[in-house]
Amino acid sequence: MLKVLTPKWLKIERRPVPSGGVIFLVSIIAIVAALLVAAIFFAAYGVSPISAYRSIIGGALGNWSGISETLRRMIPLLLCGIGLTIAFRALFWNIGADGQLLLGAVAATGVALFSGLPGPLLLPAMFFAGFSAGALWGVIPAVLKVKLGINDVITTLMMNYIALYVVLWLIHGPWRGPSMRGYAYTDMFPPAARIPVIGQSHVHWPTLVLGIVLAVIMYIFLNRTRGGFEIRVVGENPHAARFSGISELKTIAIVMVLSGGLAGLAGVGEVAGVHYQLLDPTQISMGYGYTAIIVAWLARKNPLAVIITSFFFGVLMAGGDVIKVNLGLPFQLIHVFNGLIMFFLIGSELFMNYKISIRRQ
Amino acid sequence: MMSGSMTDGTEMKTAASPSDCAIELRGIVKRFPGVVANDGINLKINRGEIHCLLGENGAGKTTLMRILYGLYQPDAGEILLTGVPTKIRSPKDALVHRIGMVHQHFRLVPTLTAAENIILGLDEGTGPFLNIRKVRAKINKIANAYGLAVDPQAKIWQLSVGQQQRVEIIKALYRDADILIMDEPTSVLTPQEVDQLFSTLRTLVDDGLTIIFITHKLDEVMEVSDRVTVLRKGKVVGTQLTSETDKPSLAKLMVGREVVFRVEKTPVHRGDKLLEVTELHALNDRGLPALRGMSFDLYEGEILGVAGVSGNGQKELAEVLTGLRHATRGRVMLAGKNVTNHSARKIAAAGVAHVPTERITMGTVPNMSIRENLVLKSYRYPPVSHGMFIDYRYAKQMAQQAMKEYQIIAPSDETAVKLLSGGNIQRLVLARELSGDPRLIVAAHPTYGLDVGATEQIRQILLQQRDRGAGILLISEDLEEVMTLSDRIMVMFQGGVMGIVDGAAAKIEEIGLMMAGEKQGVSASAQSTNAKVA
């Protein structure tokens, strides 16, 4: 096909295995291209793109309050992103990290407010409950896909909406806090159910440390263990997996327990580290689960690289707040940005897999 | 279009003479990395005939027709259409010259209707508007004329395979094709659908169309064709009038008279009964019966060759024996233990190795390294893994040793398998499957598509395994291979055993007839052979 469409002076050759350098370079070029196109939008608002980018970088990294905002955004992106790299490795399209995150938040809230557990046990129990709830939310589409052949993109996406309405129902209904004067929030968590933060910021550092440790563990898991090997075989070639006796159901279920569970942990971090209560789902998540798809993709499905890419998107999100305040631009510009990056990333895969050169006659 | 071609047809009929040549291929050569698919092919197709191209898998039939249809460019040679040298650069070009092709795997869009698929790529209507009524009328006209009943408004995914094929044929006729290439059209059809297809094809030639029919089934050649050309290993080995030939001589032409390979083979030392298959039944992927009550035994230290035209249950047999397909009835005993419907993992652990037909799509993970592909089955057990961790250092050593032993040539054990040649990939699969000295080896088409050197090597490896005492079930469409390597030969037809004959005493005509489903005179000798050997 490609051959038919290309002019004679262009030569397109398949690159059998793109090297790490090529992948890195192509990714950087994709981001730069997205920045250039986004510049048009800044210009359309009458803001010089250069000063916009300067204020994004400066606002997100120039001082402690910026850095702390960046780190706060990075934490859920990191946890969801690691989970998504695992799912994408197994070729399971988990678009449902957002819902899994919300379910994790719900479970943590339930434990924090209603379990009656003694103080020291509270946080570990919340993390455990959050992981389990996210895992459960993730495993349902896994079973539906393997057993009934139902499209994973659709089920995971749709379950986001179910999760969203579960949260809305809880905060408007049974869990509406008696001390909240009729507002749709739960009560505040007791102090023992709050994750420690750095100073006055929202950086709940234990979750950040947990995320970085999990990135390393998941990297080792994928590349050094039997379970990780099975996941990669299923993702690369399901026929060979069946041939060598690997159970697809078991493998995909494990993948989604991990992927959903990690997103669930992110949800615990948001309610127990930032808000200290369950509140409107759009305030809990701000689309972390969706942005994490781009985070995982930019990391080329490598959990270790997610540490870097989630930081990068943390900068973008924190920068979005800054341009809103300083330049009076809508925060949604950041979504435009995310979309552009995804667009160029997917487009750039052609350049990773093919070498394109000009033919000299 | 209809009336035009019909009058054309009658004129052609009356004018038909040996010199009335629709297509002439002269010295066509097509090379692919490592193989010569077409090696100087000369072929003449007369107008108004059904011309069969007969040959085994890999004989070059499909490649040749893809050249004629413009999908491939020949490396040498020329195509003459009604005597005029013509370059066919693309399928679009082919259609301009009124050549249509129905591929073995249909090229239809499942979510579109039959009518939409038929006019795909055509400009039907005025400006941006589609004149669907006119389209439907034309489709119905074609359908009625040739018995190609199909609902133009039905979506493709709703249609049976036979109906989809009719859509493909209408698609070609709609584009005014007068030469129709059919690539193994019956491989996906039920017997009733085959009958219907054949009657359609006859109506088409009565109307003056020319049909090239690719097949490897002798029955079909005899039933449907006017002339037949046999291809073997990329060369034409003969063209005959169907009325002047018969199945045994075609079988002989197809598989070759002379045995190219002389394999040094020690006398068979049969050990204990290793595999006992009783009344085995299984379904194929489409849920139709593929194995219908197969029974046979296999002993340690022997090669039991399985001959048969592809699609007669060989693939399903291999899959049932290795735990990849469910047996609906019957029993499989391995060394006295019932392993019927055990999982692939359990059966592999019991000492059954599988060299699969689809060595790349099934036998390997192309994007992963040689090292990881070599441990695809042993990764779960020590010494390759300890607890949950895989010992990659051990795997590396193992891989390097296997690469040396099996002559897998690559820069390193970390090279991705997709970069290897076919021979290297097959040696890798063998290295993996034969590690740990399996008791039973199910080898499906182990040398298919490989060059001479690699073929020789792989046959040697199989013989070494036999001499070691392994029992080998060798499934191959290469009759020559089956006859060279096997100690006994079992012929399969429509999911059953037509007979089992002694390898040394087997005659190719006899096997060819059994492959075509004729049991007569053979079963008696097979029984006596069986008795003799046992």
Side-chain angles (χ1 to χ4, degrees):
Chain A
M1 268 296 117
L2 218 50
K3 209 172 153 192
V4 182
L5 296 171
T6 43
K8 279 208 163 68
W9 48 271
L10 256 189
K11 195 171 147 194
I12 299 182
E13 273 175 290
R14 212 180 156 81
R15 236 195 271 270
V17 180
S19 68
V22 166
I23 295 173
F24 184 75
L25 190 71
V26 167
S27 304
I28 295 292
I29 291 173
I31 291 172
V32 171
L35 292 173
L36 288 177
V37 175
I40 298 170
F41 290 87
F42 289 118
Y45 275 97
V47 174
S48 144
I50 294 168
S51 72
Y53 287 132
R54 195 178 289 153
S55 70
I56 286 178
I57 303 287
L61 296 170
N63 52 44
W64 167 241
S65 83
I67 292 171
S68 71
E69 265 313 289
T70 298
L71 292 177
R72 174 201 155 186
R73 309 285 196 194
M74 172 190 173
I75 294 168
L77 292 176
L78 174 64
L79 284 163
C80 293
I82 300 166
L84 291 183
T85 59
I86 299 166
F88 295 164
R89 277 292 181 94
L91 239 60
F92 191 93
W93 302 116
N94 181 11
I95 313 298
D98 225 49
Q100 293 143 17
L101 179 150
L102 288 177
L103 257 278
V106 165
T109 305
V111 172
L113 295 178
F114 311 113
S115 72
L117 283 170
L121 285 182
L122 213 44
L123 272 176
M126 285 162 66
F127 274 107
F128 179 78
F131 182 91
S132 307
L136 177 77
W137 214 242
V139 149
I140 295 168
V143 174
L144 289 176
K145 182 185 185 185
V146 180
K147 280 279 161 196
L148 302 173
I150 299 176
N151 186 301
D152 41 347
V153 173
I154 292 174
T155 46
T156 51
L157 183 65
M158 288 304 158
M159 283 182 70
N160 284 344
Y161 292 98
I162 302 176
L164 188 135
Y165 287 110
V166 165
V167 174
L168 280 176
W169 170 67
L170 285 172
I171 58 174
H172 284 279
W175 285 8
R176 186 194 292 238
S179 65
M180 289 293 128
R181 296 196 200 101
Y183 285 104
Y185 305 126
T186 63
D187 282 336
M188 299 298 279
F189 290 5
R194 299 180 184 189
I195 305 170
V197 292
I198 302 174
Q200 294 297 305
S201 73
H202 286 303
V203 183
H204 39 114
W205 61 270
T207 324
L208 180 61
V209 173
L210 179 72
I212 290 169
V213 170
L214 283 172
V216 176
I217 289 176
M218 286 305 149
Y219 179 82
I220 295 170
F221 172 70
L222 270 179
N223 293 298
R224 285 283 172 262
T225 69
R226 287 167 40 186
F229 182 71
E230 290 177 350
I231 289 169
R232 286 184 290 129
V233 173
V234 166
E236 289 286 353
N237 186 354
H239 302 289
R242 206 171 78 86
F243 170 78
S244 57
I246 295 171
S247 156
E248 196 188 357
L249 179 64
K250 198 179 125 196
T251 309
I252 298 288
I254 291 173
V255 162
M256 283 312 290
V257 161
L258 291 171
S259 191
L262 283 159
L265 291 181
V268 180
E270 291 312 291
V271 288
V274 178
H275 305 292
Y276 308 132
Q277 63 184 169
L278 192 67
L279 65 172
D280 192 86
T282 56
Q283 276 175 286
I284 302 173
S285 140
M286 316 185 69
Y288 290 130
Y290 297 103
T291 307
I293 296 169
I294 315 172
V295 167
W297 208 262
L298 183 60
R300 305 291 173 189
K301 306 179 208 172
N302 176 345
L304 271 186
V306 171
I307 300 175
I308 300 163
T309 57
S310 62
F311 180 79
F312 173 72
F313 278 88
V315 169
L316 282 185
M317 287 187 87
D321 286 333
V322 176
I323 58 170
K324 186 169 75 179
V325 175
N326 290 3
L327 304 173
L329 296 172
F331 181 85
Q332 279 72 12
L333 266 182
I334 291 304
H335 295 312
V336 172
F337 219 85
N338 287 347
L340 284 170
I341 290 180
M342 193 69 196
F343 178 83
F344 281 104
L345 273 182
I346 291 171
S348 73
E349 302 212 331
L350 174 76
F351 297 93
M352 248 162 58
N353 296 324
Y354 293 90
K355 190 177 161 192
I356 297 173
S357 52
I358 290 167
R359 199 194 293 271
R360 265 177 232 159
Q361 293 291 348
Chain B
M1 170 251 160
M2 282 335 303
S3 58
S5 82
M6 273 186 221
T7 43
D8 277 354
T10 42
E11 278 164 22
M12 287 307 160
K13 271 259 137 152
T14 47
S17 70
S19 64
D20 190 10
C21 175
I23 301 167
E24 185 179 352
L25 302 173
R26 277 192 197 156
I28 298 287
V29 176
K30 180 70 187 173
R31 294 185 198 89
F32 291 112
V35 273
V36 183
N38 287 165
D39 191 359
I41 287 189
N42 296 305
L43 177 67
K44 283 184 181 177
I45 310 280
N46 292 338
R47 188 161 296 282
E49 71 170 349
I50 299 184
H51 195 118
C52 270
L53 275 187
L54 177 70
E56 299 176 286
N57 275 339
K61 305 169 300 226
T62 301
T63 304
L64 187 67
M65 287 304 108
R66 287 190 173 168
I67 288 172
L68 182 57
Y69 192 56
L71 285 164
Y72 295 152
Q73 298 306 309
D75 296 325
E78 59 177 350
I79 300 171
L80 285 83
L81 299 178
T82 50
V84 185
T86 312
K87 274 233 183 302
I88 302 174
R89 287 185 191 82
S90 68
K92 217 171 179 174
D93 257 9
L95 286 168
V96 168
H97 293 104
R98 302 182 64 186
I99 300 173
M101 183 162 180
V102 175
H103 296 270
Q104 189 178 2
H105 304 287
F106 305 145
R107 309 287 209 264
L108 297 169
V109 184
T111 49
L112 296 185
T113 65
E116 286 165 340
N117 268 283
I118 288 165
I119 56 159
L120 209 59
L122 296 178
D123 197 9
E124 295 291 284
T126 38
F129 298 104
L130 184 66
N131 191 344
I132 196 75
R133 205 170 300 162
K134 211 169 112 191
V135 169
R136 268 187 228 138
K138 189 167 167 185
I139 291 174
N140 284 331
K141 202 169 164 192
I142 298 173
N144 293 335
Y146 300 112
L148 292 163
V150 80
D151 175 7
Q153 275 159 289
K155 299 243 194 296
I156 294 300
W157 60 268
Q158 296 169 319
L159 300 179
S160 74
V161 182
Q163 290 169 319
Q164 291 182 21
Q165 188 176 57
R166 279 178 234 153
V167 175
E168 282 279 23
I169 297 173
I170 295 173
K171 201 169 138 186
L173 297 177
Y174 196 98
R175 287 161 172 74
D176 294 335
D178 71 351
I179 296 165
L180 196 57
I181 305 168
M182 307 282 301
D183 190 359
E184 304 210 0
T186 59
S187 58
V188 290
L189 300 183
T190 64
Q192 292 75 22
E193 287 172 328
V194 170
D195 288 344
Q196 211 172 350
L197 171 69
F198 284 178
S199 85
T200 296
L201 295 185
R202 277 186 213 104
T203 333
L204 287 169
V205 285
D206 286 346
D207 265 359
L209 268 83
T210 306
I211 291 169
I212 306 176
F213 189 103
I214 304 179
T215 185
H216 53 215
K217 297 182 185 167
L218 295 168
D219 278 329
E220 292 175 358
V221 174
M222 300 310 295
E223 191 178 340
V224 80
S225 70
D226 299 310
R227 288 198 307 153
V228 49
T229 293
V230 184
L231 292 187
R232 175 154 46 89
K233 305 210 159 127
K235 288 185 174 146
V236 171
V237 288
T239 298
Q240 291 177 333
L241 281 169
T242 311
S243 54
E244 291 172 7
T245 187
D246 54 15
K247 280 199 272 181
S249 51
L250 285 177
K252 209 162 156 186
L253 272 179
M254 187 163 123
V255 295
R257 258 168 268 253
E258 76 281 80
V259 174
V260 178
F261 293 96
R262 279 277 156 237
V263 182
E264 290 303 315
K265 210 171 119 190
T266 54
V268 62
H269 290 289
R270 250 162 70 156
D272 296 336
K273 193 189 275 185
L274 178 65
L275 183 72
E276 187 182 341
V277 173
T278 323
E279 279 298 308
L280 198 62
H281 288 259
L283 303 177
N284 65 14
D285 287 340
R286 295 174 55 218
L288 300 171
L291 299 181
R292 308 163 199 239
M294 282 200 75
S295 300
F296 65 93
D297 297 334
L298 172 62
Y299 292 81
E300 287 175 347
E302 74 161 350
I303 297 182
L304 176 64
V306 179
V309 172
S310 89
N312 276 290
Q314 297 97 316
K315 176 173 166 259
E316 288 79 7
L317 175 65
E319 289 179 353
V320 169
L321 292 181
T322 52
L324 295 173
R325 185 177 293 273
H326 202 78
T328 48
R329 239 162 66 202
R331 202 178 57 171
V332 180
M333 301 283 282
L334 180 71
K337 286 203 186 81
N338 193 340
V339 295
T340 322
N341 290 331
H342 282 197
S343 69
R345 185 183 286 212
K346 261 190 167 169
I347 288 178
V352 178
H354 184 192
V355 180
T357 316
E358 292 110 356
R359 70 181 71 113
I360 295 173
T361 53
M362 205 167 180
T364 61
V365 186
N367 276 330
M368 286 167 77
S369 65
I370 294 175
R371 191 196 302 174
E372 292 197 303
N373 271 281
L374 278 168
V375 299
L376 199 55
K377 277 185 173 168
S378 55
Y379 75 93
R380 342 187 149 85
Y381 311 106
V384 181
S385 63
H386 303 286
M388 63 182 293
F389 288 97
I390 294 177
D391 184 347
Y392 276 93
R393 213 169 304 161
Y394 181 85
K396 187 184 177 70
Q397 273 174 20
M398 207 179 94
Q400 284 172 346
Q401 202 188 327
M403 287 171 73
K404 217 181 285 167
E405 198 178 326
Y406 284 88
Q407 297 169 35
I408 304 164
I409 297 151
S412 94
D413 63 305
E414 287 180 62
T415 306
V417 164
K418 68 175 172 191
L419 301 177
L420 301 182
S421 69
N424 276 316
I425 290 177
Q426 188 65 314
R427 284 192 290 272
L428 181 147
V429 171
L430 280 168
R432 180 183 68 220
E433 296 298 321
L434 302 182
S435 71
D437 294 339
R439 310 166 81 164
L440 172 66
I441 300 164
V442 178
H445 313 288
T447 62
Y448 172 66
L450 300 186
D451 60 35
V452 179
T455 299
E456 184 95 63
Q457 212 177 0
I458 278 156
R459 290 178 182 176
Q460 288 300 344
I461 292 171
L462 288 176
L463 284 172
Q464 281 161 17
Q465 292 291 321
R466 155 192 180 261
D467 294 344
R468 177 179 66 74
I472 300 177
L473 189 77
L474 172 70
I475 298 172
S476 179
E477 268 160 53
D478 186 344
L479 251 189
E480 183 190 305
E481 175 166 274
V482 171
M483 298 199 61
T484 324
L485 294 178
S486 309
D487 300 308
R488 289 188 299 147
I489 299 171
M490 171 167 83
V491 183
M492 281 182 76
F493 180 73
Q494 295 188 344
V497 178
M498 281 290 109
I500 297 179
V501 295
D502 186 76
K507 288 199 190 65
I508 205 156
E509 291 85 354
E510 188 186 24
I511 290 177
L513 279 176
M514 284 199 280
M515 281 167 68
E518 276 175 42
K519 225 170 179 173
Q520 54 186 37
V522 175
S523 52
S525 79
Q527 271 163 12
S528 69
T529 322
N530 253 345
K532 201 168 61 200
V533 182

